[in-house]
Amino acid sequence: MKNFGLLGKNISYSFSRTYFTEKFKKENIDAEYRNFDLDNIKEFRDVIKETPNLQGLNVTIPYKQEIIPYLDDLAPEAKEIGAVNSINVIGNKLIGHNTDYIGFSESLKPYLKEHHKKALILGTGGASKAVAYALKKFKIEYKFVSRSAGENKLSYDDLSEEIMKEYSLIINTTPLGTYPDVDANPEIPFQFINEKHLVYDLIYNPRTTKLMARAQAKGATATNGLKMLELQAESAWKIWTK
């Protein structure tokens, strides 16, 4: 039996295990998908050692960047993004890929309008790097938003009416608002949100996050990250089985 799995921390809620378990059942694939819940990335070596016939792994928060030194090689897009969310196991070699940007690009495309020329990326973790890479391909300018300002990075306090008007695409890559903390949301100034804004929340549980609900109340279009997850999962599957 072939083995696949997800590396992360506190991942019992994980989308991936349910998705792939259902896929294997539906398509009569003789394989198992497991969660590898690691307290520390150093435990990754044990996963490799103790899992027979391991073919591929997904990687989630907080290890998308920490995993890189443990890999033998990176696909060009993962190298440029600087984050890995999928590992292909070829013999003894571990190759890092990034399919997040594919999932994000393809799921964002149907919502984009002519006026979405500038984007704010909330958060600076591994997923934010894949989002930035995708936006570059769309030729959409972007700035990161974090608790403190820096190079190409605004703080939440910097989000003035002028900036919010200029940046009509807002993408949340932080975990704020994920189940069970459903009452949390990134502190953007919602009073400046209007019907021209598109708010994309990478969170998929709950389906409508507090960020999305508050943006919709101001007339904005809002969507979650479920489609992105499905698309990145299928892209990973193609890499593992080609």
Side-chain angles (χ1 to χ4, degrees), residues 1-4 24 29-34 52-55:
M1 185 189 278
K2 291 177 177 177
N3 276 303
F4 300 88
F24 296 161
I29 298 165
D30 186 23
E32 187 183 0
Y33 193 99
R34 297 160 58 190
N53 204 14
L54 185 62
Q55 306 286 303

Side-chain angles (χ1 to χ4, degrees), residues 150-188:
E151 196 182 338
N152 195 34
K153 193 171 71 165
L154 301 167
S155 75
Y156 285 95
D157 291 338
D158 292 330
L159 300 181
S160 62
E161 183 173 1
E162 194 184 338
I163 285 170
M164 294 299 287
K165 192 179 174 184
E166 196 181 344
Y167 290 80
S168 57
L169 174 55
I170 297 166
I171 302 134
N172 178 36
T173 72
T174 78
L176 283 171
T178 308
Y179 178 84
D181 285 330
V182 295
D183 286 329
N185 61 256
E187 285 303 327
I188 62 168

Side-chain angles (χ1 to χ4, degrees), residues 102-114 116 138 198 200 221 223 227-228 231:
I102 299 169
F104 175 71
S105 300
E106 292 304 311
S107 57
L108 176 69
K109 217 183 274 180
Y111 293 95
L112 283 178
K113 294 211 164 75
E114 190 59 39
H116 294 132
F138 282 125
L198 167 57
Y200 189 124
T221 300
T223 185
K227 193 69 186 166
M228 172 183 169
L231 291 165

Side-chain angles (χ1 to χ4, degrees), residues 32-77:
E32 187 183 0
Y33 193 99
R34 297 160 58 190
N35 278 355
F36 298 102
D37 211 317
L38 312 182
D39 282 327
N40 191 298
I41 193 60
K42 289 174 185 169
E43 296 168 32
F44 173 62
R45 293 193 198 282
D46 296 330
V47 170
I48 297 300
K49 226 182 291 175
E50 294 163 16
T51 312
N53 204 14
L54 185 62
Q55 306 286 303
L57 291 163
N58 291 120
V59 185
T60 190
I61 293 169
Y63 300 130
K64 290 185 183 191
Q65 290 160 278
E66 286 185 38
I67 193 68
I68 291 174
Y70 293 84
L71 305 177
D72 298 298
D73 204 0
L74 295 179
E77 85 287 343

